[in-house]
Amino acid sequence: MTARIDMGLDSGGNPVAVDLEELLATRLLVQGNSGSGKSHLLRRLLEGSAGYVQQVVVDPEGDFVSLSEAFGHIAVDAAEYSLTELARLALRVREHRASVVLNLEGLEIDGQMRAAAAFLSALFDAPREHWYPVLTVVDEAQLFAPAAAGEVTEEARRTSLAAMTNLMCRGRKRGLAGVIATQRLAKLAKNVAAEASNFLMGRTFLDIDMARAADLLGMDRRQADTIRDLARGEFLALGPAITRRPISVRIGAVQTGSKAVSPKLTPLPTAPTQDMRDMLFA
Ligand SMILES: Nc1ncnc2c1ncn2[C@@H]1O[C@H](COP(=O)(O)OP(=O)(O)OP(=O)(O)O)[C@@H](O)[C@H]1O
Ligand SMILES: [Mg+2]
C-alpha cells in the first residue's frame, strides 16, 4: 500500500506530498521558531495519515487532544496516571494498535519528561509480535531531548533523552517512526536530530540554529539564509519521503482546532488609575 499525504503547495502552486511508507523508514525533523507553524504542520500530517497508520502524539501543551473528536484518538491525561500505569498503557497501545495523544499539559517539566520517557520506552520495549508501524510524533522535542543539562533533575533528563534516542536511532526496526518538532535546533540533542532523514525547516532567526539547519540540509550558509525569510506556515522541505532537492512548501489547512491562537490586540481597560489601584490591592 502506498499513501501520499498532501501537505500543501510549493512556490509554483504544485502539491507537495509526503510518502508515508518512506517516512516510516526515514523519520522527520521539523524546526522553526515559535509561531512558525510547526504544530499546524504536524496536525496536517496527522490528519492526512490518520486513516493509514497508527499514531502516538507526545503533546506537552494538550494541543492535539482535539484529534480525538474527529479521528478517534484516545486522549491520555498523563497527570492522572503513575509511571507504571503509563508504561502498561503504552504496551496495550501497541497490542491493540490504538492511536493516542499523551497529554502532558498538567505536569511540571520534570514530570513531563518522566511520563514521556515511561511511555516511549514501553512502546519501544513492546514484544516483537506487536511491532506494527506507529507514527510517533513528539512536539517540542527539545524538552525531551535537551542538548544540555538544564534546571531539570539529572535522572529525568537521562531517562527522557534515552527514550528519545531509542525512538530516533533504534525505533525503525520496531515499527516506531519518529516525527519530532523543535523551536530551537541548537537546544535539541545532536544524536536525536541527526537520525531524521527528512527535514521541514521553518522560519528561524538565530545564527546558531541557522547553522545547524544548514548543516542538516547540506546547504551553504548563504543558501540557508532563505530560512530567515520564510513566512508563517512556509517550510523548506528536503528528504527521501518528500523531495530530493530542497523546495519550499506552504502548509495547507487543517480540519481540527488548536488551542493555540496568535495574540490579537484588544482595547485596553479604561478604569482610572485610582480604581485600578483599588482593585489590585482590595
Ligand atoms: N499553514 C498555516 N496556515 C494557516 N494558519 C497557520 C499555518 N501555520 C500556522 N498557522 C497559525 O499560526 C499560529 C502559530 O502556529 P503554530 O501553533 O503551529 O506554531 P508553532 O511553530 O507550533 O509555535 P510554538 O513553537 O510556539 O508552539 C496558529 O494560530 C496557527 O493556526
Ligand atoms: Mg507548537
Short mmCIF file of all heavy atoms in Angstrom, two decimals, residues 37-63:
data_model
loop_
_atom_site.label_atom_id
_atom_site.label_comp_id
_atom_site.label_asym_id
_atom_site.label_seq_id
_atom_site.Cartn_x
_atom_site.Cartn_y
_atom_site.Cartn_z
N GLY A 37 4.63 27.75 12.76
CA GLY A 37 3.62 26.85 12.21
C GLY A 37 3.95 25.36 12.31
O GLY A 37 3.40 24.56 11.56
N LYS A 38 4.82 25.00 13.25
CA LYS A 38 5.22 23.58 13.39
C LYS A 38 4.06 22.70 13.82
O LYS A 38 3.83 21.63 13.27
CB LYS A 38 6.34 23.43 14.43
CG LYS A 38 7.59 24.18 14.13
CD LYS A 38 8.60 24.01 15.24
CE LYS A 38 8.12 24.53 16.57
NZ LYS A 38 7.91 25.98 16.62
N SER A 39 3.33 23.14 14.85
CA SER A 39 2.24 22.31 15.36
C SER A 39 1.14 22.18 14.31
O SER A 39 0.52 21.13 14.17
CB SER A 39 1.68 22.90 16.66
OG SER A 39 2.69 22.95 17.64
N HIS A 40 0.90 23.26 13.58
CA HIS A 40 -0.06 23.23 12.48
C HIS A 40 0.38 22.18 11.44
O HIS A 40 -0.43 21.38 10.97
CB HIS A 40 -0.15 24.63 11.86
CG HIS A 40 -1.08 24.73 10.69
ND1 HIS A 40 -2.34 25.27 10.79
CD2 HIS A 40 -0.93 24.36 9.39
CE1 HIS A 40 -2.93 25.21 9.60
NE2 HIS A 40 -2.09 24.68 8.74
N LEU A 41 1.67 22.19 11.12
CA LEU A 41 2.22 21.23 10.16
C LEU A 41 2.04 19.80 10.65
O LEU A 41 1.62 18.91 9.90
CB LEU A 41 3.70 21.56 9.95
CG LEU A 41 4.51 20.76 8.94
CD1 LEU A 41 5.73 21.58 8.53
CD2 LEU A 41 4.98 19.42 9.45
N LEU A 42 2.35 19.57 11.93
CA LEU A 42 2.20 18.22 12.49
C LEU A 42 0.74 17.79 12.42
O LEU A 42 0.41 16.64 12.12
CB LEU A 42 2.67 18.20 13.96
CG LEU A 42 4.16 18.41 14.20
CD1 LEU A 42 4.45 18.43 15.70
CD2 LEU A 42 5.01 17.34 13.52
N ARG A 43 -0.15 18.74 12.69
CA ARG A 43 -1.58 18.43 12.65
C ARG A 43 -2.02 18.05 11.24
O ARG A 43 -2.79 17.12 11.03
CB ARG A 43 -2.36 19.65 13.15
CG ARG A 43 -3.85 19.43 13.33
CD ARG A 43 -4.52 20.70 13.82
NE ARG A 43 -4.10 21.05 15.16
CZ ARG A 43 -4.62 20.52 16.27
NH1 ARG A 43 -5.59 19.63 16.18
NH2 ARG A 43 -4.19 20.87 17.46
N ARG A 44 -1.51 18.78 10.26
CA ARG A 44 -1.82 18.47 8.86
C ARG A 44 -1.35 17.05 8.52
O ARG A 44 -2.07 16.28 7.88
CB ARG A 44 -1.12 19.50 7.96
CG ARG A 44 -1.20 19.22 6.47
CD ARG A 44 -2.36 19.90 5.81
NE ARG A 44 -2.42 19.57 4.38
CZ ARG A 44 -3.34 20.01 3.55
NH1 ARG A 44 -4.30 20.81 4.00
NH2 ARG A 44 -3.33 19.67 2.29
N LEU A 45 -0.16 16.70 8.96
CA LEU A 45 0.39 15.36 8.70
C LEU A 45 -0.42 14.29 9.43
O LEU A 45 -0.75 13.24 8.87
CB LEU A 45 1.86 15.32 9.15
CG LEU A 45 2.57 13.98 8.98
CD1 LEU A 45 2.73 13.62 7.51
CD2 LEU A 45 3.96 14.01 9.65
N LEU A 46 -0.77 14.56 10.68
CA LEU A 46 -1.54 13.59 11.47
C LEU A 46 -2.93 13.37 10.87
O LEU A 46 -3.38 12.23 10.73
CB LEU A 46 -1.66 14.07 12.92
CG LEU A 46 -0.37 13.95 13.77
CD1 LEU A 46 -0.43 14.84 15.00
CD2 LEU A 46 -0.15 12.49 14.16
N GLU A 47 -3.59 14.46 10.52
CA GLU A 47 -4.94 14.34 9.94
C GLU A 47 -4.90 13.57 8.62
O GLU A 47 -5.72 12.70 8.38
CB GLU A 47 -5.54 15.74 9.71
CG GLU A 47 -5.88 16.46 11.02
CD GLU A 47 -6.49 17.84 10.78
OE1 GLU A 47 -6.56 18.29 9.61
OE2 GLU A 47 -6.90 18.48 11.76
N GLY A 48 -3.90 13.90 7.80
CA GLY A 48 -3.80 13.28 6.49
C GLY A 48 -3.46 11.80 6.55
O GLY A 48 -3.82 11.03 5.66
N SER A 49 -2.76 11.39 7.60
CA SER A 49 -2.32 9.99 7.67
C SER A 49 -3.11 9.16 8.67
O SER A 49 -2.87 7.96 8.80
CB SER A 49 -0.82 9.94 8.01
OG SER A 49 -0.57 10.54 9.25
N ALA A 50 -4.06 9.77 9.35
CA ALA A 50 -4.80 9.07 10.41
C ALA A 50 -5.49 7.80 9.90
O ALA A 50 -5.59 6.81 10.61
CB ALA A 50 -5.83 10.01 11.05
N GLY A 51 -5.94 7.82 8.66
CA GLY A 51 -6.64 6.66 8.11
C GLY A 51 -5.72 5.54 7.66
O GLY A 51 -6.18 4.46 7.31
N TYR A 52 -4.40 5.78 7.68
CA TYR A 52 -3.45 4.80 7.14
C TYR A 52 -2.57 4.14 8.19
O TYR A 52 -2.10 3.03 8.00
CB TYR A 52 -2.51 5.47 6.12
CG TYR A 52 -3.20 6.02 4.91
CD1 TYR A 52 -3.40 7.38 4.77
CD2 TYR A 52 -3.61 5.17 3.89
CE1 TYR A 52 -4.01 7.91 3.65
CE2 TYR A 52 -4.22 5.68 2.76
CZ TYR A 52 -4.42 7.06 2.65
OH TYR A 52 -5.02 7.57 1.54
N VAL A 53 -2.30 4.88 9.26
CA VAL A 53 -1.29 4.38 10.19
C VAL A 53 -1.65 4.74 11.63
O VAL A 53 -2.27 5.78 11.89
CB VAL A 53 0.11 4.95 9.81
CG1 VAL A 53 0.20 6.46 10.06
CG2 VAL A 53 1.23 4.24 10.55
N GLN A 54 -1.26 3.86 12.55
CA GLN A 54 -1.45 4.15 13.97
C GLN A 54 -0.59 5.35 14.37
O GLN A 54 0.51 5.54 13.84
CB GLN A 54 -1.02 2.93 14.78
CG GLN A 54 -1.26 3.08 16.28
CD GLN A 54 -0.64 1.93 17.08
OE1 GLN A 54 -0.17 0.96 16.50
NE2 GLN A 54 -0.66 2.06 18.38
N GLN A 55 -1.10 6.17 15.28
CA GLN A 55 -0.38 7.39 15.65
C GLN A 55 -0.28 7.53 17.16
O GLN A 55 -1.26 7.27 17.87
CB GLN A 55 -1.12 8.62 15.09
CG GLN A 55 -1.34 8.53 13.59
CD GLN A 55 -2.07 9.73 13.02
OE1 GLN A 55 -2.87 10.35 13.71
NE2 GLN A 55 -1.80 10.03 11.77
N VAL A 56 0.89 7.96 17.62
CA VAL A 56 1.06 8.33 19.02
C VAL A 56 1.61 9.75 19.03
O VAL A 56 2.58 10.04 18.33
CB VAL A 56 2.03 7.38 19.75
CG1 VAL A 56 2.43 7.95 21.11
CG2 VAL A 56 1.41 6.00 19.90
N VAL A 57 0.97 10.64 19.78
CA VAL A 57 1.43 12.02 19.85
C VAL A 57 1.83 12.34 21.28
O VAL A 57 1.04 12.18 22.20
CB VAL A 57 0.32 13.01 19.42
CG1 VAL A 57 0.87 14.43 19.35
CG2 VAL A 57 -0.30 12.60 18.10
N VAL A 58 3.08 12.75 21.46
CA VAL A 58 3.54 13.24 22.77
C VAL A 58 3.35 14.75 22.74
O VAL A 58 4.01 15.45 21.98
CB VAL A 58 5.01 12.84 23.03
CG1 VAL A 58 5.50 13.46 24.33
CG2 VAL A 58 5.15 11.33 23.06
N ASP A 59 2.43 15.21 23.57
CA ASP A 59 1.86 16.55 23.42
C ASP A 59 2.03 17.38 24.69
O ASP A 59 1.19 17.33 25.58
CB ASP A 59 0.37 16.34 23.09
CG ASP A 59 -0.38 17.63 22.87
OD1 ASP A 59 0.25 18.71 22.84
OD2 ASP A 59 -1.61 17.56 22.72
N PRO A 60 3.10 18.15 24.79
CA PRO A 60 3.36 18.89 26.04
C PRO A 60 2.31 19.94 26.35
O PRO A 60 2.18 20.34 27.50
CB PRO A 60 4.73 19.54 25.82
CG PRO A 60 5.15 19.23 24.45
CD PRO A 60 4.17 18.32 23.80
N GLU A 61 1.58 20.41 25.35
CA GLU A 61 0.65 21.52 25.61
C GLU A 61 -0.82 21.14 25.49
O GLU A 61 -1.70 22.00 25.53
CB GLU A 61 0.98 22.69 24.67
CG GLU A 61 2.25 23.37 25.12
CD GLU A 61 2.83 24.32 24.09
OE1 GLU A 61 2.25 24.45 23.00
OE2 GLU A 61 3.87 24.91 24.39
N GLY A 62 -1.10 19.87 25.33
CA GLY A 62 -2.50 19.44 25.21
C GLY A 62 -3.17 19.98 23.96
O GLY A 62 -4.38 20.14 23.89
N ASP A 63 -2.34 20.25 22.96
CA ASP A 63 -2.79 20.90 21.74
C ASP A 63 -3.50 19.94 20.78
O ASP A 63 -4.35 20.33 20.00
CB ASP A 63 -1.55 21.48 21.05
CG ASP A 63 -1.85 22.73 20.27
OD1 ASP A 63 -2.85 23.39 20.60
OD2 ASP A 63 -1.09 23.04 19.35
#
